[in-house]
Amino acid sequence: RKYKYILPNYYVSHIAKKIEEVNNAIGKDEPQDYYGVGYIFVTDIHAPANTWTFLPLIERIKALTNAKMLINCGDNVRALGTKENLISDLREVMNKTFSVFGEKMMYVLGNHDFIISNSDTWGVNTEQIAKALNYQINLSPLGVITRKHYYYRDDDVGMIRNIILDYLDVDKKWFIEWLRDTIRNTPTDYHLAFYMHWNIFEQNGSISDPKYQYIVDWLSAIQGKTLFSKTIATTFGDVEINEDYTNSTHAICYFACGHQHKDYMHVVNGVTYFVSDCCANYNDNGVVKRVSGTTTDTAFDVICANVKKRSVTLIRVGAGSNRSWTY
């Protein structure tokens, strides 16, 4: 934790450049244009396997840009340790980020946020905490009162409904009915952004789990302005969904994920599904490359979205590159 909570000198010019890029991406091209909005998107923090440089970086971005919201896409803790380690690290990440953003945060449940291995090997001697405790630590301070790890937050300036999914509940009857109603009740002309820790698609383009197929089909219908009529089998009975999007004013900005500790994206029927790299130096799958003492010792994005232009730009801070698309 050599650099914990301190902005190192080697980040000064880098963050100045990134702040300029964020302001340009959110700003107006012409006086009559509409401003975009920015969200700081951090995933796979994996405390304490982290230099913690992301904390002063996100604080600087919040202070000097209009990216005022933090989206934490899950896996706040390392994979190995005890239940007490897990709880302690969850509290540390939440307390430090909350001290900067307050309730202007959205939290997405990750697999390591309630399961940990008390072993040298992931998956051996696993221990877990109740999701109710995870809710108490990570969601209750944000004013989320559903006691579920799926919920939505409307951005009334950016005209975006941000929909947070719990990857463990997507095959539950009550979740599907909630998702139907959440999409159906989205304000006119608002666009939709989705967040889930577990990746929908693998890097090779295959779907990561068959239970996610109905989500892909559903979002495709919204983006394509077609009917979505499907009987969805769940662990608690079938759900009939019949929604007509032919005259919908809604569109999908993106579907954002973490978990894979790498960057990639796929566009399926006009919907962009992107995966962002691990924030930490946490090399559990051989793909995270971090060099301490350089601007590659962390990695996260600032999502810059403009629903009027139907454009999204990801400004990468730390290791990696910017990405952008229209929809």
Side-chain angles (χ1 to χ4, degrees):
R1 304 194 181 191
K2 180 179 178 182
Y3 306 112
K4 194 172 183 180
Y5 315 141
I6 298 171
L7 183 66
N9 288 334
Y10 55 82
Y11 265 114
V12 172
S13 61
H14 177 83
I15 194 61
K17 175 185 176 183
K18 294 302 173 178
I19 285 169
E20 182 180 7
E21 291 177 359
V22 170
N23 284 328
N24 288 339
I26 295 176
K28 300 191 292 186
D29 294 330
E30 300 292 341
Q32 70 273 14
D33 283 350
Y34 165 85
Y35 281 107
V37 292
Y39 307 123
I40 300 169
F41 181 80
V42 180
T43 187
D44 296 272
I45 291 169
H46 284 300
N50 197 302
T51 63
W52 296 88
T53 50
F54 79 94
L55 280 170
L57 288 168
I58 63 177
E59 187 170 18
R60 186 69 62 90
I61 292 167
K62 176 178 178 291
L64 298 178
T65 75
N66 282 325
K68 305 299 187 186
M69 178 73 74
L70 174 67
I71 300 167
N72 176 342
C73 202
D75 273 10
N76 281 345
V77 307
R78 60 186 174 184
L80 307 178
T82 66
K83 187 184 298 187
E84 289 72 27
N85 294 145
L86 187 156
I87 294 169
S88 175
D89 289 338
L90 280 178
R91 291 190 187 281
E92 182 168 23
V93 173
M94 180 61 200
N95 289 343
K96 291 301 180 184
T97 51
F98 189 83
S99 70
V100 177
F101 289 90
E103 292 187 4
K104 288 188 174 294
M105 293 171 54
M106 291 181 279
Y107 166 75
V108 186
L109 181 69
N111 52 301
H112 291 315
D113 293 333
F114 66 101
I115 300 174
I116 197 165
S117 286
N118 189 3
S119 165
D120 291 334
T121 305
W122 167 246
V124 177
N125 297 335
T126 57
E127 299 184 67
Q128 68 181 63
I129 66 170
K131 287 177 69 176
L133 178 57
N134 186 287
Y135 166 85
Q136 179 186 343
I137 295 171
N138 287 315
L139 283 176
S140 60
L142 305 182
V144 178
I145 59 175
T146 65
R147 297 193 67 82
K148 302 285 188 183
H149 282 76
Y150 53 86
Y151 59 101
Y152 70 86
R153 285 271 184 92
D154 283 342
D155 183 335
D156 295 326
V157 175
M159 299 179 66
I160 296 174
R161 172 158 287 189
N162 293 288
I163 302 177
I164 292 85
L165 307 185
D166 177 354
Y167 77 98
L168 294 169
D169 275 343
V170 296
D171 59 348
K172 307 297 192 300
K173 183 175 186 291
W174 54 82
F175 167 81
I176 294 170
E177 293 171 340
W178 171 86
L179 183 60
R180 175 200 62 202
D181 295 342
T182 297
I183 296 171
R184 181 185 291 173
N185 298 328
T186 300
T188 301
D189 294 329
Y190 277 47
H191 291 186
L192 306 169
F194 293 83
Y195 309 88
M196 188 171 77
H197 175 73
W198 205 278
N199 51 294
I200 291 280
F201 290 99
E202 305 288 6
Q203 190 168 13
N204 64 8
S206 63
I207 197 161
S208 63
D209 192 309
K211 68 184 178 184
Y212 299 142
Q213 185 62 57
Y214 80 86
I215 296 177
V216 175
D217 296 340
W218 201 334
L219 271 57
S220 296
I222 296 171
Q223 203 77 317
K225 297 191 180 302
T226 62
L227 297 171
F228 179 66
S229 182
K230 192 177 184 69
T231 301
I232 303 172
T234 80
T235 53
F236 294 89
D238 292 348
V239 183
E240 296 283 345
I241 301 294
N242 293 285
E243 298 293 295
D244 185 355
Y245 298 115
T246 53
N247 296 313
S248 172
T249 63
H250 305 137
I252 313 296
C253 303
Y254 52 82
F255 195 117
C257 301
H259 184 63
Q260 283 284 27
H261 299 184
K262 60 183 76 171
D263 292 323
Y264 62 87
M265 55 194 294
H266 296 290
V267 181
V268 179
N269 298 323
V271 180
T272 297
Y273 299 80
F274 77 84
V275 174
S276 279
D277 206 347
C278 176
C279 177
N281 184 20
Y282 187 67
N283 198 13
D284 71 342
N285 57 9
V287 299
V288 177
K289 307 298 183 185
R290 297 284 180 264
V291 180
S292 295
T294 76
T295 56
T296 65
D297 63 13
T298 194
F300 63 90
D301 296 297
V302 183
I303 303 173
C304 304
N306 190 311
V307 302
K308 300 296 185 183
K309 296 179 180 178
R310 298 173 68 103
S311 66
V312 181
T313 299
L314 306 183
I315 304 298
R316 170 55 55 84
V317 180
S321 304
N322 296 349
R323 296 176 281 179
S324 63
W325 62 89
T326 57
Y327 60 93

